[in-house]
Amino acid sequence: DSGVTQTPKHLITATGQRVTLRCSPRSGDLSVYWYQQSLDQGLQFLIQYYNGEERAKGNILERFSAQQFPDLHSELNLSSLELGDSALYFCASSASGWGQPQHFGDGTRLSIL
Amino acid sequence: AQKITQTQPGMFVQEKEAVTLDCTYDTSDPSYGLFWYKQPSSGEMIFLIYQGSYDQQNATEGRYSLNFQKARKSANLVISASQLGDSAMYFCAMREGADTGNQFYFGTGTSLTVIP
């Protein structure tokens, strides 16, 4: 158990809809990262938050947004969903310091029908 | 330039043999950490091993060891005595600098298949 909790585990919805993915980081971790992994693809970095503030942005679409709340949990909002958004979405958290690894949640598998 | 390069899309190894998965990195920061993750077919990402840029010794964790060659900027993962359960995707990653909250950079991964 990594200590990172992601909900829901599975999500099935239709094109044009909006969904929210939730992540609770490991206790004490201030950094939260979101990744997208499409079928047979590597990890695509979306966005990073540190203690409530956005720190880095990757290949995140304008239809996607995220935030980190004062209790450090984070939400990733995906809107106007398209078939190509079907993927496994990971949240990861890490402690401060370059020697600290990321710990990943089990992911949310999003299927767009 | 790519921060992390994994040049082997797929690898095969016989059960009980050792296998080396390649990873090269690119950074000008003297402080950095290198990490390997395993992703089995079930999908979860499992942290395996860490090597710091100032570490003199190669990191080891059970059957996993990291062959760290700083001058060549390589951080290869060595799995000894391969088991069927080692069949998975393996990702190399790097984190730079001493600042808090720094981004991680991942390679494209290597798919390892262990043959009975």
Side-chain angles (χ1 to χ4, degrees), chain A:
Chain A
D1 181 11
S2 68
V4 179
T5 304
Q6 281 189 255
T7 57
K9 291 192 184 305
H10 302 276
L11 200 48
I12 302 173
T13 188
T15 55
Q17 296 298 305
R18 172 189 171 93
V19 297
T20 297
L21 312 184
R22 183 187 167 99
C23 170
S24 293
R26 287 193 331 157
S27 177
D29 287 356
L30 299 180
S31 288
V32 169
Y33 308 75
W34 286 97
Y35 294 89
Q36 179 193 57
Q37 187 178 40
S38 301
L39 194 62
D40 295 329
Q41 297 292 312
L43 288 168
Q44 294 294 318
F45 169 66
L46 296 178
I47 198 163
Q48 176 199 350
Y49 282 85
Y50 174 76
N51 202 19
E53 294 188 4
E54 182 184 304
R55 285 297 293 262
K57 245 180 179 177
N59 300 319
I60 187 166
L61 300 172
E62 285 194 12
R63 300 184 285 109
F64 296 1
S65 65
Q67 54 184 326
Q68 186 181 26
F69 295 88
D71 67 352
L72 300 178
H73 92 270
S74 178
E75 292 180 356
L76 178 66
N77 299 296
L78 315 176
S79 62
S80 303
L81 286 168
E82 302 175 359
L83 293 177
D85 297 329
S86 294
L88 184 56
Y89 290 84
F90 283 110
C91 169
S93 73
S94 73
S96 301
W98 51 269
Q100 298 298 319
Q102 281 183 330
H103 296 274
F104 284 77
D106 289 340
T108 293
R109 192 169 295 278
L110 176 64
S111 300
I112 313 298
L113 303 179

Side-chain angles (χ1 to χ4, degrees), chain B residues 63-116:
Chain B
R63 294 186 298 110
Y64 304 109
S65 61
L66 204 154
N67 185 0
F68 181 45
Q69 298 187 45
K70 197 169 182 177
R72 298 179 63 181
K73 294 189 175 179
S74 75
N76 298 338
L77 177 70
V78 180
I79 305 175
S80 63
S82 296
Q83 301 172 355
L84 296 179
D86 294 333
S87 293
M89 197 76 171
Y90 289 83
F91 292 95
C92 178
M94 177 175 67
R95 188 178 191 182
E96 295 173 303
D99 293 337
T100 55
N102 271 25
Q103 187 180 343
F104 283 75
Y105 300 93
F106 280 82
T108 52
T110 295
S111 177
L112 177 67
T113 302
V114 180
I115 304 166

